[in-house]
Amino acid sequence: MTEQTTPWFGRILWEMIKAQPLRYGFALVLWTTIWTMPILVGLITARFFDLLTTGIESSQVISLVVAVGAYAAARSVVILIGMRNHGTMLFRAHALIRRNLLTRIYELPGAAGLDETPGEVVSRFRDDVEHIVEPFDFTADVVGATVSGIISFAIMWTIDPVITVVVSLPVLVVAVVANRTGGIVRRYRKDARDATEAITGFLGETFSATQSIKVAGAEAHMLHRFAALNDVRKTMMVRDRTLTSVLEATFRNTVNIGTGLILLLAAGRLGATGTAGISIGEFSLFVFLLTLVTEASYFSGRFVAQAKQATVSAQRLTDTLSGASWDRAYAREGLISVHGSPDEDLHLAEPDPFRSLQIRGLTYVYPGSTNGIRGVDIEIGPGEFIVVTGRIGSGKTTLLRTILGLLPATEGTIIWNDDTIDDPATFMVPPLVAYTPQVPKLFSMSLRNNLDLGIDLSDAELDESIHIATMNRDLGDMPDGLETMIGPRGVRLSGGQIQRSASARMFARDPQLLVLDDVSSALDVETEKVLWSRLFAARAGVATLVVSHRYAALARADRVIVMEDGHAVAVGTAEELDKTSAAFRSIWAGTPSSAGHHP
Amino acid sequence: MIPVRAYFKLFKAYLEPHRRQAVLLAAVLGSTIALQLLNPQFIRAFIDGATSGDDVSSLWPIAVAFMVVAIAHQLLMVWATYLAERIGWSATNQLRADLTDHVLHLDMSFHKSTSPGSLIERIDGDVTALSNFFSSMIIKVIGNGVLLIGIIVLLWAESWIVGITITAITVTTFLGLFRLHGVIVPWQKEIRATAAELYGFVGEQVDGTEDVEANGATGYMLSRFDDIQARWEPQVVRGWRGWSYMWIGSMMLYFGSLIVVFVLGSYLFGIGTLTLGTVYLVFQYVQMAHNPVEQIRQELIDLQKAGASIERVQSLFDTESALARNNSATLPGGPLGVEFDDVTFSYGDADDETVLETVSFSIAPGRVVGLLGRTGSGKTTVARLITRLHEPQTGSVKIGGMPTWDVEMADLRHKVAMVTQDVQLFRATVRENLTFFDDSTPDSELMAVIARLELEPWLESLPNGLDTMLEAGGGGLSAGQAQLLAFTRVFLRNPGVVVLDEASSRLDPATERLIERAVDHLLEDRTAILIAHRLATVARADDIVILDDGKVIEQGDRETLLSDPDSVLSGLIATGMEEVLA
């Protein structure tokens, strides 16, 4: 996984603004209005106190009340319109990033996966995206606050420049403090996020392994570890929140200190007449505007801190992008289809008939281990049934996955019909190639959708695939037939049912090459025999590559490839290998099949 | 409805240990409120003093006192936040632990139908919402609530007319906000539900990239993702609209009060009841009321979300295991007999098929039994019933002569071990995967078991031996290697009964032989039920039980059955056992 650096947050903000320029512009206008409107309240109130001092008449009171009423109405309208726009804008900012993340995840090799657990990835989709969009949310606020701050400052200056300058100093302090504490804020926030992620990751794994834990009676140990993780998170969270509170307190104190300074400096002149005097109205306006200015300053400070915190989340998202440039997450262009490769067209038009698949010197080694495959050669011709067999850890599944691009080959060539395939991940897919993994997964949707995956298949085509996959009885057991919802909110399927569904899914693709990893774990021998015979009856001309050590498969194989320690050590028919290959024999010695029935 | 009562019902037990801290918090909070109410009085004094021509030197101390009190107020607020957060997180951590404990002990039928993602949402998402609820509730709602009451009382002290009108406006606004809240609540629920759907989808997709990509279905899945997001958007926007209503509602309080200041203030000043400073005081208190109302308004939304969270957490606690937990009998050491007495069982799924029908067999202690049958004949279910992952609807499963439900669960799980083909691994070290995070197992014990299984070569192939970190979902190990790890896990204990359920189906015969050597050792002096497909394994069995379609079709001593040419067993061997029984 390459180290990608995230640029400074301003560039990320700019990307988000570029994605929704009109909405953003509108938001700026609205929030500026929302922030500056209160100045009017300050002015109205100032007028009241001045009138009060000199002697107020009821008609004047009425006009003040009307002013307040009109203001309230206008402000309500602005809020309603503004919030709607803002809500839409923020949602779309979130939605775009999430979408881009998912797209990127699909681009990565399907079996190489991410470093994080699914639980942690979900946490990034949810929390990190939120933290990145938060500053974007507040930029409109900051602009509004700044404009209102400037106007307030100007008004205060006209009342008394000296006091204005003096009380502005604490306001500046606010901004400086916000800036300086950014580093600690970021660190505390990151620690808290990491601690939370450790917890959700742990919970995710615990509940995926419940049966093992129960059977092992290990609940107490798991809970002990869980409690330890929770303690860590508590410390981090309390630290983070207390720091936030300290900063908030600092900011609020500036208003108070500022007000105190006004009191001190205005002491002799309050209520006095003449130009040096400060009327009560002016005093109230001063304090009112000071509050506004400090709010603005506080907001800006918070915003800066938020943006710094968001850089942590932005970096995590960039990491999840696994090698893609940071701006992939925010780009509108990410909305195109995943298969943007030139080979795309090949798959839409009627493909050329399959002539050959040649694998030369294919190599992939798992990071941080010696497991993998090295220099494997395979040839598959039209209609051929090829079986890969070998001991555990010999690389059979790895081989299949590397051929299909689900693992990124580090060396070797894949040649399909005389064309070298540079990107098997986008090429070796339906309608050319279809695959069933050793542990297939279905998704929380209807059985029909799990089988057709969005392709328009006729009932006849689906029925045929179900038949080949020996799924008929399973289908009969489904309460709503093909419309049955699968998954946590629907029906739980057994391992065998999942395997058969995945096989039906594969057959429904009607490919030129079928690839099946070991089905023996979920299907008994009898069922597997039926599967092969139906497959051959219905798909005789289709090239097939399987992993198996069952007699039914080995007997039919045109060629058997024996894997050992990541190398293909023997190739031939089962009969030949039984005579010539010690490796093959060592796998099969001691079974009744070899003793009584030669393959 | 603010679920205060429901909240405290749930939380009383968890807050109890922190009572002293809570009292301290209350005291600190009370002080902050007092200080905050005090400050406007200083300004009033200042204004009245200034306008009546007091000497400047008497005004300065007031200004200084103002600043000191303000600073003290803020410092106490920080302290209060710290206390509230600590209490909130400590209490909810305990809740989290109890909830997880409870969930882990729920039976397997619950777990099969509940995704890990939704459990994370509850145990972490919902409980964290409750933690925020606590700290927000205390400081922002109760604190601000008391502040508001203090303001109203002080206003009342200045002029009962002002007091009444302000009270009336405040109460009306609050009632209005509550009503509005009731309207908004279902909107929030819907937003959270769609969120759960979206993140559940993401979790599945991230886990299933192999299937999706190999099937060229990424475009399809992306369009499904887009559908969920498109459905979610109007819900979220509606939530924002609800929030605007709340904001406008609380604004009305402020402006209503301002009008009161203008009207009543001018009148009462005119007739000499209030000084100028007092009118300003009233104005200050009215302004001071705005922020608490804003904060309470903001918190009301979170409190509402908490209501949904409380419900979900409570319902999780209320979910009971189908298995009774409070039994205390223990099993003796050494090999134990296993007996199925007229057991009938079905999973209670949608298909409601009876998986086992009046199954009866008996295994003497220390005997090795080969359990044979096709996939779907009920062998796996027998294994699950022996380990009490489920209980039969009729009949009983007895270990050592005692029905499984009479035995204390922890003891049963200690004395009965099972190896399945579905190996569940963690993103942790190999050591932690073997011991399930039990720090007390010494490495020497682990190495002894690994040696007995002759798995040193496997361990040596790992870059850091026992310290090797396994990837998420146990990546980096092939299915067969994972199987060996699972085997090692089980062998770490000293069970009286071992069930090996289809443990060999993914291992090819050469490696299978490796394991069988070790199995030989461990079958000594234990009762074993072997569910396998190889003649070699069955050859080790003393007794045989054959299942077909949930019924026992044959059982007895292996050699006796073999010597009878008409037995089902003999028939199976004649036709090539593996072919039929694997």
Side-chain angles (χ1 to χ4, degrees):
Chain A
M1 194 197 68
T2 48
E3 276 294 303
Q4 285 279 322
T5 42
T6 320
W8 79 287
F9 200 74
R11 291 194 59 194
I12 295 177
L13 277 178
W14 180 239
E15 292 293 323
M16 289 194 269
I17 293 173
K18 269 198 303 188
Q20 298 186 78
L22 285 179
R23 279 203 185 278
Y24 186 75
F26 194 46
L28 279 182
V29 168
L30 280 164
W31 280 101
T32 307
T33 313
I34 290 180
W35 270 95
T36 48
M37 276 178 92
I39 295 176
L40 291 172
V41 177
L43 292 170
I44 294 174
T45 319
R47 185 100 179 96
F48 168 73
F49 279 110
D50 283 338
L51 286 175
L52 201 60
T53 335
T54 56
I56 195 169
E57 310 200 345
S58 26
S59 61
Q60 290 169 316
V61 173
I62 290 173
S63 57
L64 282 174
V65 168
V66 167
V68 169
Y71 174 87
R75 194 162 169 80
S76 303
V77 168
V78 170
I79 286 174
L80 278 171
I81 299 177
M83 291 297 102
R84 189 193 161 80
N85 176 65
H86 206 67
T88 309
M89 182 181 78
L90 287 187
F91 182 86
R92 295 202 178 159
H94 281 101
L96 179 63
I97 301 177
R98 285 192 289 253
R99 218 268 189 186
N100 285 338
L101 268 184
L102 187 61
T103 310
R104 175 62 187 156
I105 287 173
Y106 285 142
E107 285 175 6
L108 300 171
L114 301 159
D115 287 342
E116 300 90 32
T117 63
E120 285 168 354
V121 174
V122 168
S123 166
R124 298 203 176 183
F125 266 79
R126 191 182 50 205
D127 301 322
D128 284 312
V129 172
E130 172 120 14
H131 285 127
I132 290 173
V133 176
E134 231 177 11
F136 173 66
D137 182 357
F138 283 111
T139 53
D141 268 297
V142 168
V143 169
T146 310
V147 170
S148 101
I150 291 173
I151 297 178
S152 302
F153 188 89
I155 296 176
M156 288 197 291
W157 184 275
T158 60
I159 300 175
D160 188 308
V162 174
I163 298 183
T164 306
V165 168
V166 170
V167 302
S168 300
L169 291 176
V171 172
L172 283 176
V173 165
V174 155
V176 169
V177 167
N179 203 21
R180 284 294 146 90
T181 53
I184 305 180
V185 167
R186 224 181 323 163
R187 189 159 47 96
Y188 282 11
R189 180 57 59 97
K190 180 181 190 307
D191 289 344
R193 293 265 321 111
D194 285 346
T196 300
E197 212 175 69
I199 287 175
T200 52
F202 182 79
L203 279 177
E205 294 203 301
T206 302
F207 290 123
S208 303
T210 322
Q211 181 165 306
S212 299
I213 295 170
K214 280 179 176 299
V215 167
E219 293 98 331
H221 304 315
M222 303 298 286
L223 287 169
H224 186 72
R225 168 62 62 107
F226 185 55
L229 291 174
N230 274 323
D231 265 339
V232 169
R233 201 246 302 253
K234 176 183 85 172
T235 312
M236 298 301 145
M237 279 291 181
V238 172
R239 229 172 44 160
D240 181 43
R241 305 266 171 103
T242 307
L243 178 63
T244 308
S245 166
V246 165
L247 291 177
E248 238 171 281
T250 314
F251 299 145
R252 300 241 179 269
N253 266 335
T254 49
V255 182
N256 300 318
I257 292 175
T259 310
L261 288 174
I262 297 174
L263 291 177
L264 281 175
L265 293 170
R269 298 145 55 195
L270 194 61
T273 49
T275 48
I278 295 177
S279 72
I280 303 297
E282 284 174 336
F283 173 73
S284 82
L285 184 59
F286 225 109
V287 174
F288 190 93
L289 291 177
L290 177 67
T291 311
L292 270 185
V293 171
T294 313
E295 280 286 331
S297 181
Y298 167 65
F299 234 93
S300 309
R302 237 184 88 190
F303 168 73
V304 171
Q306 239 175 18
K308 289 188 175 173
Q309 288 166 8
T311 54
V312 173
S313 290
Q315 184 58 50
R316 285 150 69 99
L317 274 192
T318 309
D319 290 342
T320 308
L321 290 176
S322 301
S325 160
W326 66 272
D327 56 353
R328 269 296 304 270
Y330 314 100
R332 283 279 281 247
E333 291 76 44
L335 293 171
I336 58 171
S337 128
V338 186
H339 298 290
S341 72
D343 291 340
E344 172 87 322
D345 297 313
L346 179 73
H347 292 56
L348 291 176
E350 194 60 43
D352 283 339
F354 172 66
R355 289 193 303 281
S356 73
L357 173 63
Q358 296 176 44
I359 314 284
R360 305 233 172 289
L362 200 63
T363 303
Y364 173 80
V365 177
Y366 286 97
S369 91
T370 51
N371 291 334
I373 55 169
R374 289 176 176 81
V376 177
D377 296 338
I378 297 185
E379 276 198 37
I380 305 178
E384 287 193 317
F385 185 71
I386 311 291
V387 176
V388 176
T389 192
R391 304 164 48 122
I392 26 143
S394 56
K396 311 184 291 287
T397 300
T398 312
L399 174 61
L400 258 47
R401 283 172 165 171
T402 313
I403 292 174
L404 295 173
L406 296 167
L407 290 172
T410 48
E411 274 171 48
T413 347
I414 298 174
I415 303 168
W416 177 283
N417 285 0
D418 307 319
D419 292 319
T420 308
I421 306 301
D422 296 313
D423 185 12
T426 50
F427 186 83
M428 311 286 269
V429 293
L432 291 183
V433 183
Y435 170 60
T436 304
Q438 192 173 25
V439 186
K441 299 199 170 76
L442 297 182
F443 301 100
S444 294
M445 45 192 191
S446 70
L447 185 56
R448 177 189 290 273
N449 282 334
N450 266 292
L451 296 185
D452 65 22
L453 290 176
I455 297 178
D456 201 14
L457 293 174
S458 69
D459 281 344
E461 286 169 316
L462 271 179
D463 284 341
E464 199 210 358
S465 318
I466 289 169
H467 175 76
I468 301 176
T470 70
M471 225 187 109
N472 308 77
R473 208 181 82 162
D474 299 313
L475 190 57
D477 289 341
M478 298 285 165
D480 298 314
L482 282 174
E483 306 311 320
T484 312
M485 280 294 289
I486 309 295
R489 278 168 294 134
V491 170
R492 164 189 74 89
L493 296 184
S494 72
Q497 285 171 322
I498 294 179
Q499 175 69 255
R500 288 187 284 275
S501 304
S503 304
R505 179 175 71 188
M506 177 183 66
F507 294 127
R509 309 277 148 251
D510 202 16
Q512 296 181 342
L513 171 67
L514 285 164
V515 182
L516 277 107
D517 206 335
D518 203 345
V519 302
S520 61
S521 50
L523 302 185
D524 59 271
V525 169
E526 192 65 34
T527 314
E528 195 179 325
K529 250 189 0 205
V530 173
L531 172 73
W532 295 132
S533 58
R534 288 188 187 177
L535 171 65
F536 289 127
R539 300 271 190 274
V542 179
T544 312
L545 175 66
V546 308
V547 169
S548 183
H549 41 261
R550 287 269 172 82
Y551 172 74
L554 291 170
R556 291 184 145 98
D558 291 307
R559 260 194 312 291
V560 175
I561 298 169
V562 182
M563 297 287 294
E564 193 174 274
D565 281 330
H567 293 92
V569 297
V571 180
T573 65
E575 243 180 64
E576 291 164 11
L577 291 178
D578 198 38
K579 297 195 192 86
T580 59
S581 166
F584 184 77
R585 277 196 304 273
S586 80
I587 296 174
W588 289 103
T591 65
S593 311
S594 59
H597 316 264
H598 267 282
Chain B
M1 252 302 286
I2 307 304
V4 176
R5 183 177 295 171
Y7 179 87
F8 276 107
K9 183 169 147 228
L10 180 67
F11 252 76
K12 227 169 47 143
Y14 293 100
L15 291 176
E16 193 53 46
H18 306 282
R19 223 157 49 120
R20 283 175 60 182
Q21 294 252 300
V23 169
L24 178 62
L25 173 62
V28 171
L29 207 53
S31 314
T32 64
I33 294 169
L35 292 180
Q36 197 170 356
L37 290 173
L38 182 59
N39 252 348
Q41 303 283 345
F42 286 133
I43 300 201
R44 174 198 12 207
F46 188 95
I47 291 178
D48 283 341
T51 49
S52 54
D54 283 4
D55 188 47
V56 166
S57 57
S58 69
L59 295 178
W60 283 339
I62 300 177
V64 169
F66 175 84
M67 285 198 278
V68 166
V69 166
I71 292 172
H73 163 60
Q74 289 302 329
L75 290 176
L76 286 174
M77 278 301 297
V78 171
W79 193 9
T81 304
Y82 170 76
L83 287 172
E85 288 288 337
R86 267 201 42 195
I87 297 174
W89 282 102
S90 298
T92 50
N93 274 353
Q94 189 55 52
L95 173 61
R96 238 181 235 101
D98 287 350
L99 196 54
T100 308
D101 190 349
H102 176 83
V103 169
L104 266 183
H105 284 97
L106 290 175
D107 58 275
M108 284 314 296
S109 56
F110 170 83
H111 284 279
K112 284 292 162 70
S113 59
T114 313
S115 74
S118 77
L119 286 172
I120 293 177
E121 268 293 302
R122 306 229 183 157
I123 294 179
D124 202 47
D126 282 328
V127 175
T128 302
L130 293 182
S131 160
N132 294 332
F133 180 101
F134 177 81
S135 45
S136 299
M137 249 282 282
I138 295 299
I139 291 195
K140 292 188 182 157
V141 176
I142 294 182
N144 282 312
V146 172
L147 178 66
L148 267 175
I149 292 174
I151 290 172
I152 289 177
V153 165
L154 287 172
L155 285 175
W156 209 289
E158 299 303 329
S159 154
W160 63 271
I161 305 176
V162 171
I164 283 189
T165 30
I166 297 291
T167 308
I169 295 175
T170 309
V171 167
T172 316
T173 313
F174 265 135
L175 289 178
L177 286 178
F178 277 11
R179 280 286 297 279
L180 193 52
H181 231 257
V183 170
I184 293 174
V185 161
W187 298 355
Q188 284 298 329
K189 264 194 182 155
E190 206 177 29
I191 293 174
R192 272 193 79 88
T194 312
E197 189 187 338
L198 183 84
Y199 296 120
F201 179 89
V202 170
E204 263 187 2
Q205 291 302 306
V206 168
D207 202 32
T209 45
E210 191 182 7
D211 295 64
V212 174
E213 291 183 26
N215 279 296
T218 48
Y220 175 63
M221 291 305 181
L222 278 171
S223 75
R224 282 189 82 96
F225 184 73
D226 290 339
D227 282 343
I228 301 178
Q229 297 216 115
R231 223 187 323 132
W232 201 18
E233 181 174 329
Q235 293 173 354
V236 171
V237 172
R238 188 174 58 173
W240 279 80
R241 201 168 69 224
W243 185 45
S244 345
Y245 294 153
M246 299 293 278
W247 187 359
I248 292 171
S250 67
M251 238 173 44
M252 292 306 140
L253 171 62
Y254 176 71
F255 291 124
S257 311
L258 195 60
I259 290 175
V260 166
V261 170
F262 288 173
V263 172
L264 288 181
S266 57
Y267 169 69
L268 292 172
F269 179 74
I271 63 173
T273 315
L274 301 178
T275 67
L276 191 60
T278 310
V279 176
Y280 193 79
L281 178 82
V282 169
F283 173 65
Q284 274 189 93
Y285 278 140
V286 160
Q287 277 211 299
M288 197 184 286
H290 189 209
N291 200 39
V293 173
E294 280 279 312
Q295 296 222 315
I296 293 177
R297 190 249 318 151
Q298 276 173 21
E299 290 316 310
L300 283 182
I301 299 195
D302 282 346
L303 301 193
Q304 213 39 251
K305 287 187 202 162
S309 295
I310 291 175
E311 268 176 49
R312 278 196 295 271
V313 167
Q314 195 62 57
S315 88
L316 202 48
F317 267 126
D318 290 339
T319 310
E320 278 171 12
S321 174
L323 317 173
R325 248 178 101 175
N326 302 325
N327 311 312
S328 55
T330 56
L331 293 167
L336 300 165
V338 176
E339 190 185 325
F340 268 56
D341 191 3
D342 206 30
V343 167
T344 299
F345 177 76
S346 89
Y347 281 105
D349 290 351
D351 54 23
D352 220 15
E353 196 187 292
T354 309
V355 178
L356 292 180
E357 228 177 285
T358 60
V359 167
S360 295
F361 60 83
S362 182
I363 306 170
R367 301 282 277 182
V368 175
V369 171
L371 183 58
L372 310 176
R374 300 170 203 272
T375 306
S377 58
K379 312 189 299 274
T380 309
T381 309
V382 165
R384 293 206 184 119
L385 289 174
I386 292 178
T387 51
R388 210 184 156 208
L389 288 169
H390 299 276
E391 277 172 7
Q393 275 83 32
T394 56
S396 65
V397 176
K398 296 194 182 111
I399 310 279
M402 270 190 270
T404 51
W405 52 74
D406 279 346
V407 181
E408 193 203 341
M409 188 70 89
D411 192 59
L412 182 74
R413 295 280 160 75
H414 192 73
K415 305 258 170 62
V416 179
M418 175 161 84
V419 179
T420 64
Q421 65 183 6
D422 181 17
V423 185
Q424 294 160 333
L425 298 172
F426 305 105
R427 187 180 174 215
T429 63
V430 168
R431 180 187 291 104
E432 284 164 338
N433 268 283
L434 287 173
T435 60
F436 284 100
F437 299 98
D438 179 11
D439 301 326
S440 66
T441 312
D443 276 9
S444 52
E445 211 177 303
L446 296 178
M447 293 309 298
V449 170
I450 290 174
R452 207 149 15 125
L453 285 174
E454 295 176 56
L455 286 180
E456 288 107 325
W458 165 73
L459 188 66
E460 268 152 39
S461 77
L462 300 173
N464 293 319
L466 287 174
D467 291 312
T468 313
M469 272 300 270
L470 296 182
E471 293 301 309
L477 291 184
S478 74
Q481 290 175 315
Q483 192 83 104
L484 292 177
L485 193 150
F487 231 52
T488 316
R489 266 180 184 163
V490 165
F491 284 9
L492 277 169
R493 299 176 293 141
N494 191 18
V497 178
V498 173
V499 181
L500 297 178
D501 178 7
E502 294 183 349
S504 317
S505 65
R506 280 211 210 118
L507 304 178
D508 53 84
T511 320
E512 159 89 16
R513 281 202 307 280
L514 270 180
I515 298 232
E516 281 178 12
R517 275 200 279 276
V519 170
D520 276 337
H521 272 293
L522 277 101
L523 292 190
E524 282 166 25
D525 238 17
R526 278 189 188 92
T527 314
I529 293 105
L530 304 176
I531 308 170
H533 325 295
R534 310 215 172 275
L535 182 60
T537 317
V538 172
R540 201 192 280 117
D542 302 317
D543 300 322
I544 299 290
V545 173
I546 306 180
L547 290 178
D548 190 48
D549 226 3
K551 301 191 190 60
V552 176
I553 56 173
E554 184 164 278
Q555 59 172 301
D557 177 82
R558 179 179 60 92
E559 287 183 11
T560 314
L561 289 175
L562 276 180
S563 57
D564 173 7
D566 294 323
S567 71
V568 176
L569 182 64
S570 303
L572 289 175
I573 292 186
T575 60
M577 178 187 297
E578 268 187 47
E579 305 304 309
V580 179
L581 294 178

